[in-house]
Amino acid sequence: MAGARLAAELHARAGDRKVTVLGAEQHRAYNRIMLSALLAGKIDEPDVELAEVAGQGVDVRTGLAVTAIDRAAREVRTADGDRHGYDHLVLATGSRAVVPPLPGLDPLPDRVVPFRTLDDCRRILAAARGARRALVLGGGLLGLEAARGLAARGLDVTVVHPTGWLMERQLDPTAGAVLAGTLAGLGVRTALAVPATGVAADADGVRLDLADGRSLHADLLVLSCGVRPDTALAAAAGLAVDRGVLVDDRLRSSDRHISAIGDCAQHAGALTGLVAPAWAQARVVAEVLGGEDPLARYRPRPVVTRLKAAGIDLAAMGDTADGTPPAGTAPDDGGPVEELTFADPTRGTYARLRIRDGRLTGAILLGDNPAVGTVVQLFDRGDPVPADRRALLLGRAFGATPATPAASPALMPDAATVCQCNDVHKGALVACWRAGARTVEELSAATRAATGCGGCRDAVAGIADWLAEADPVAVTR
């Protein structure tokens, strides 16, 4: 995804240049984030394809793995024996699914599939046909999306997770417990705080052995045990590598003729793993290489994690996991911390806000909460929170303030971010509407809104519907 976005960014800029894209996968660029929806049967394969640039100046070659980088000659070697010269090389090699070192997983049996690529998704769907039971090893974001997708196809699904609660990187134990209850109501069971110890698979099924002595049986085992940046090429070429390829603010590696973006890049000690940072990095590299802004710098923005699974509304952001400073204390980098929580496990609702110096530094919102859009905006923009904290916590209406949640798109400020992945504001959508974009698809094509995780599609549709009633301007095409 990062490589395709960079090619598009370069193609859109003036200048005479040749862009060559080399990809090991047989497919052209596709949206990995939408694979869980494909797994659930809500979309088809054409719906995950990304619009790519083509034509003069852009050469896209799929199914062609790069095997080595010759930095001295400024060439890359490919699996077919060819050499491709470069003035500047950008690594967008992404990450690979982690296969845990469990007995029975080397080599991977047919009934055991990691969940990372489109080919993985195809294998899972093939194995799910005629299956009744499925196991998912890993209770992180991707694992839960896979579990919900399989459950939507009618399979009996159990998620096995070694930690005591789900999504421990984004959630606290209470939120994890409420989420587990919500999943149970959707047909997904959980086995928590129990590591797997081994796997056995044959033509009749798969068995997952657990540390507590239990063995779980199923027709299919999906592995979702995290990902690891694919840095093999960079390391073999002698580039500076830690967990990812080390890059500076301009995304340059230790070789000034080589950059890295997306999952494989490590900037300021951090990996990304999300689409919004990858596309922001692609934009910065395009500005530098295209000459538009040779001094452009990548500045990470606050990350909002959304669980994209039918029947589950979850947003998590900032310092919410255990180990953060307790409420009421004065951490080294700020003033006292306010913390507000509300839980209604019966209704699958949980909310937690962390506020420092009058600004939101973290939040978890699980279940139906009308204030989720306002909370995301406050966190993303660093605006002061309203005096009535309970309104954000419980989603009740409160008095007129800069953070008042918009009951309709008409009340949203033009600067409000609608699409987090592509940093698209309401004002941009309105401008494109007035320029002739009338449908969600046309607005998406013009602004890229809803082309990332897809979580903002309903918001874009709501703005389009509102504009159709409030601003029915006739446009001559």
Side-chain angles (χ1 to χ4, degrees):
M1 294 173 67
R5 173 56 65 94
L6 175 59
E9 293 277 0
L10 288 170
H11 185 66
R13 286 165 168 78
D16 182 16
R17 68 180 66 86
K18 179 181 179 182
V19 179
T20 301
V21 183
L22 303 172
E25 290 188 78
Q26 295 291 336
H27 326 284
R28 295 178 73 88
Y30 60 91
N31 191 338
R32 296 186 194 276
I33 301 172
M34 301 304 292
L35 291 181
S36 55
L38 179 62
L39 199 61
K42 295 187 174 299
I43 60 175
D44 297 319
E45 279 197 14
D47 298 315
V48 305
E49 295 174 357
L50 290 172
E52 285 189 284
V53 295
Q56 186 175 6
V58 180
D59 182 11
V60 180
R61 304 189 186 189
T62 59
L64 187 59
V66 173
T67 57
I69 301 169
D70 186 337
R71 292 167 54 194
R74 288 194 209 167
E75 293 178 334
V76 296
R77 292 197 294 271
T78 50
D80 60 1
D82 280 352
R83 289 175 172 263
H84 302 262
Y86 64 83
D87 296 310
H88 197 90
L89 173 67
V90 181
L91 299 176
T93 50
S95 54
R96 296 180 180 273
V98 172
V99 177
L102 295 175
L105 291 185
D106 188 14
L108 279 177
D110 290 339
R111 292 180 178 269
V112 180
V113 188
F115 184 37
R116 177 63 182 167
T117 68
L118 179 56
D119 285 335
D120 293 336
C121 196
R122 289 174 172 174
R123 290 181 58 201
I124 292 171
L125 289 174
R129 296 188 187 100
R132 294 184 299 108
R133 295 172 298 173
L135 297 171
V136 177
L137 184 58
L141 186 68
L142 195 60
L144 297 185
E145 291 180 357
R148 183 68 186 103
L150 290 170
R153 289 183 173 271
L155 275 69
D156 182 349
V157 182
T158 299
V159 175
V160 178
H161 194 52
T163 308
W165 68 95
L166 300 170
M167 291 181 62
E168 72 278 4
R169 293 186 178 180
Q170 294 87 14
L171 305 183
D172 58 31
T174 305
V178 174
L179 178 57
T182 300
L183 285 166
L186 296 171
V188 178
R189 290 192 292 268
T190 53
L192 303 174
V194 54
T197 58
V199 176
D202 55 29
D204 296 324
V206 59
R207 186 189 78 232
L208 182 65
D209 298 327
L210 306 181
D212 60 6
R214 287 183 293 164
S215 292
L216 302 180
H217 297 264
D219 304 300
L220 165 68
L221 171 62
V222 175
L223 300 179
S224 183
C225 304
V227 296
R228 183 173 294 121
D230 194 343
T231 60
L233 275 174
L239 298 177
V241 171
D242 183 23
R243 291 176 298 157
V245 182
L246 298 180
V247 295
D248 61 15
D249 288 351
R250 281 190 273 176
L251 288 314
R252 297 174 304 185
S253 71
S254 54
D255 182 329
R256 66 187 182 89
H257 296 289
I258 301 177
S259 299
I261 60 174
D263 286 12
C264 71
Q266 182 176 335
H267 173 265
L271 301 169
T272 60
L274 297 172
V275 62
W279 285 349
Q281 291 173 357
R283 184 168 56 252
V284 169
V285 172
E287 290 174 352
V288 172
L289 296 183
E292 179 181 343
D293 184 1
L295 300 179
R297 296 287 192 273
Y298 169 64
R299 293 288 182 261
R301 295 184 59 184
V303 173
V304 179
T305 300
R306 305 295 291 262
L307 178 57
K308 298 167 289 297
I312 304 173
D313 295 315
L314 171 63
M317 62 210 81
D319 57 342
T320 55
D322 273 10
T324 55
T329 63
D332 294 338
D333 58 347
V337 175
E338 301 175 55
E339 185 162 332
L340 299 87
T341 59
F342 171 78
D344 185 354
T346 302
R347 297 186 178 183
T349 301
Y350 178 79
R352 177 180 176 184
L353 305 177
R354 291 180 67 88
I355 300 168
R356 180 180 300 157
D357 294 332
R359 285 172 167 75
L360 192 67
T361 63
I364 300 172
L365 297 175
L366 175 59
D368 185 18
N369 189 318
V372 63
T374 300
V375 170
V376 171
Q377 291 288 332
L378 289 171
F379 175 74
D380 187 55
R381 296 163 60 179
D383 289 342
V385 298
D388 186 359
R389 310 315 204 213
R390 295 170 298 174
L392 292 178
L393 190 69
L394 304 177
R396 296 188 295 104
F398 48 83
T401 72
T404 301
S408 80
L411 300 179
M412 292 174 63
D414 281 351
T417 304
V418 178
C419 176
Q420 294 284 329
C421 293
N422 290 288
D423 194 24
V424 179
H425 300 83
K426 175 203 168 186
L429 292 166
V430 173
C432 288
W433 169 275
R434 290 174 176 164
R438 286 293 184 264
T439 66
V440 172
E441 289 71 23
E442 289 173 344
L443 289 170
S444 294
T447 65
R448 289 177 172 163
T451 61
C453 70
C456 66
R457 184 176 178 83
D458 288 345
V460 175
I463 290 173
D465 291 343
W466 162 67
L467 286 168
E469 296 180 4
D471 191 29
V473 179
V475 176
T476 301
R477 293 179 180 271

